[in-house]
Amino acid sequence: MASSFVIAFVGKPSAGKSSFLNAITDASAKVGNFPFTTIEPNQGIAYYPLDCPCKQYGVSDRCKPRHGRCQQGRRYVPVRMMDVAGLVPGASEGRGLGNRFLDDLRHADVLVHVVDASGTTDEQGKETKGYDPVDDVRWLRREIEEWVAGNVLAKWANSVRRHRATKSAAADTLHGLVAGYGARREIVQRTLDRLAGGAAADIGEWDEADVRRFVAAFLDLRFPTVVALNKIDMPDADKNIAAIMRRYKSVPGSTALVDGVSEQNIVLSSALAECFLRKMAKQGFIRYETGDDDFVAHDEDGSLKPVDEKMCRRLENIRDLVLFRYGSTGVQETVCRAVDLLGYVPVFPVKNLANFGASSGEGSSSAAFQDCVLARPGTTVREFARKLHSVALDKGYAGAETVGNKQLAEDDVIVPGKNNIIKYFVSA
């Protein structure tokens, strides 16, 4: 069972989005250095690593996840990924595949903006040399803002009249305007809280500038964004990376975003290097796991297949230009940063708090911690029971306990390390 949220890879054509999806998942997205290689969204499953409680409770030998895997107390939880069609300037007006891209975006919870840091593709995704990608982050954000703002402004006058006639709460009226983007009312309220003092309290008094400020703040919360500066091992990447980092350098003590991005959420990456390393590992030429800072080849482990001179040169180039220089290919870090932005909490539902098994029996042979579900921050014990999609559990809810047989209240917020191992009771 993969997570209920979706990480979407966005950006201009040929920036490396499909390569990224292939690098981090088992998907086979079509890859090509020409615009609009992706037309329908490609999807796949990646894995988010976290500490599994099996190690803390000494049951690592019985930890058998139904989904994903656990290696020596390190749990790899499946998360859903999506690569959508490339976006070009003017997409909000229907240029390129803009309408399709923006419609696909509704299904995303967090965005990974893949930027070609090498400068070898222009803003249309066409092959070139010497292109300056420093503005790519800005114009993609601008297109999304124009798309949402244009839709909201088109309905604004009618919505304000209805708002005044019904004396609705501002959050309710605004939620009606942005619900189509997969937004919960809670996000709208948080947006209004951020705008407090920056716009008139009565939205009926808002002008176009106020609406646009609301949209910009709303997008910061609705679509948190990680920027993956891709192709870092290519010539000219260094100077482009430096320019982009200067633009988005954080002001000490400030949490303000620029174009929806903060310096802390920019990751340096090479998707093609990751694809090659995974392929070589799968074929038995090297020993390598995604996220490693190096690989082991035949000269260090005779059980591995020897590589020819061409393969050896490519592997050494990846080692020198990517792994030794940056510590990894950046692909795993990108996924981790995206999930961390959402603040989701790992929850381990069990049926037995004595052996952490999925059955109520007391034996020690039961598989432990078979399930791990990532839940929204702030999820309560009862809300999580509903999330498990069990009608019997929801209707027959009779209480819950955590480790140490501590009873949990329905409205207790689930917190990692405190009460995120849960046994539910169901009335007969």
Side-chain angles (χ1 to χ4, degrees):
M1 178 175 63
S3 61
S4 59
F5 61 87
V6 177
I7 300 173
F9 290 96
V10 301
K12 69 185 183 184
S14 302
K17 301 184 302 300
S18 296
S19 296
F20 230 102
L21 189 74
N22 291 339
I24 199 61
T25 73
D26 293 325
S28 296
K30 188 177 180 183
V31 177
N33 195 22
F34 50 89
F36 309 121
T37 306
T38 301
I39 296 179
E40 296 297 334
N42 296 306
Q43 299 193 32
I45 299 295
Y47 295 90
Y48 174 69
L50 52 85
D51 290 333
C52 184
C54 69
K55 188 173 183 179
Q56 177 184 353
Y57 293 102
V59 292
S60 296
D61 59 326
R62 293 192 294 106
C63 187
K64 295 180 174 154
R66 296 182 208 267
H67 308 281
R69 64 187 188 278
C70 185
Q71 296 175 335
Q72 300 178 330
R74 196 66 172 160
R75 185 80 168 230
Y76 292 84
V77 182
V79 294
R80 294 165 60 202
M81 320 292 283
M82 178 173 69
D83 158 34
V84 297
L87 190 71
V88 298
S92 58
E93 300 168 0
R95 189 175 180 188
L97 297 176
N99 290 332
R100 180 174 295 179
F101 168 94
L102 295 169
D103 189 59
D104 290 338
L105 210 61
R106 300 171 193 266
H107 306 293
D109 292 279
V110 60
L111 307 182
V112 172
H113 181 185
V114 182
V115 174
D116 179 358
S118 70
T120 55
T121 51
D122 65 17
E123 62 182 13
Q124 306 294 329
K126 297 176 182 176
E127 193 169 356
T128 188
K129 290 182 180 179
Y131 173 76
D132 185 355
V134 73
D135 286 326
D136 282 1
V137 176
R138 176 169 291 173
W139 69 249
L140 183 136
R141 170 60 181 234
R142 188 184 302 125
E143 290 297 337
I144 298 174
E145 282 190 15
E146 287 298 321
W147 170 53
V148 177
N151 290 339
V152 170
L153 287 167
K155 303 172 185 176
W156 186 252
N158 287 337
S159 295
V160 167
R161 279 194 293 271
R162 189 162 51 251
H163 170 76
R164 286 172 171 160
T166 59
K167 297 182 180 179
S168 300
D172 291 331
T173 297
L174 292 169
H175 183 238
L177 287 165
V178 297
Y181 307 104
R184 305 184 310 280
R185 186 187 184 282
E186 170 261 336
I187 289 180
V188 175
Q189 186 60 59
R190 285 169 57 201
T191 303
L192 286 172
D193 293 342
R194 284 192 174 190
L195 289 176
D202 180 5
I203 64 171
E205 302 299 323
W206 283 10
D207 58 16
E208 180 176 337
D210 290 321
V211 173
R212 289 184 177 277
R213 275 193 289 273
F214 165 77
V215 168
F218 164 72
L219 290 176
D220 287 346
L221 295 174
R222 173 62 188 87
F223 295 115
T225 302
V226 173
V227 173
L229 299 183
N230 195 31
K231 307 181 185 180
I232 54 175
D233 48 341
M234 299 282 285
D236 292 336
D238 281 354
K239 68 176 184 179
N240 294 329
I241 290 169
I244 291 171
M245 296 301 286
R246 280 196 301 271
R247 170 170 285 183
Y248 296 102
K249 186 172 181 61
S250 300
V251 177
S254 173
T255 58
L257 302 179
V258 179
D259 303 324
V261 174
S262 73
E263 180 184 19
Q264 289 73 27
N265 292 322
I266 297 177
V267 182
L268 308 184
S269 61
S270 175
L272 284 180
E274 179 68 26
C275 286
F276 184 70
L277 291 173
R278 286 185 60 172
K279 178 181 177 181
M280 295 292 283
K282 189 174 183 179
Q283 294 177 352
F285 290 103
I286 62 172
R287 190 165 65 248
Y288 171 79
E289 291 283 343
T290 297
D292 285 355
D293 60 2
D294 199 6
F295 56 84
V296 174
H298 175 75
D299 57 347
E300 299 171 81
D301 183 347
S303 66
L304 296 167
K305 297 178 183 177
V307 297
D308 60 28
E309 187 176 347
K310 183 178 179 180
M311 285 182 178
C312 184
R313 281 199 305 270
R314 187 169 180 186
L315 284 169
E316 286 304 316
N317 281 338
I318 291 174
R319 176 177 267 162
D320 293 340
L321 297 176
V322 179
L323 299 179
F324 283 2
R325 196 169 186 183
Y326 299 106
S328 75
T329 64
V331 170
Q332 182 71 71
E333 184 183 354
T334 299
V335 173
C336 290
R337 203 77 64 90
V339 177
D340 291 344
L341 265 182
L342 293 171
Y344 274 54
V345 176
V347 188
F348 299 85
V350 299
K351 289 187 177 179
N352 190 317
L353 288 170
N355 62 14
F356 306 108
S359 65
S360 56
E362 295 295 330
S364 61
S365 61
S366 175
F369 296 115
Q370 286 191 288
D371 298 304
C372 176
V373 181
L374 295 173
R376 291 184 186 278
T379 297
T380 66
V381 170
R382 185 61 188 272
E383 287 171 343
F384 185 73
R386 298 189 188 101
K387 180 180 174 67
L388 293 178
H389 301 298
S390 170
V391 175
L393 175 56
D394 190 26
K395 290 186 176 180
Y397 182 89
E401 289 182 349
T402 188
V403 178
N405 297 317
K406 296 177 184 175
Q407 289 192 343
L408 299 174
E410 290 187 27
D411 59 355
D412 281 351
V413 173
I414 300 175
V415 178
K418 179 182 178 183
N419 59 359
N420 64 325
I421 300 173
I422 303 177
K423 173 185 177 181
Y424 285 103
F425 296 93
V426 182
S427 58

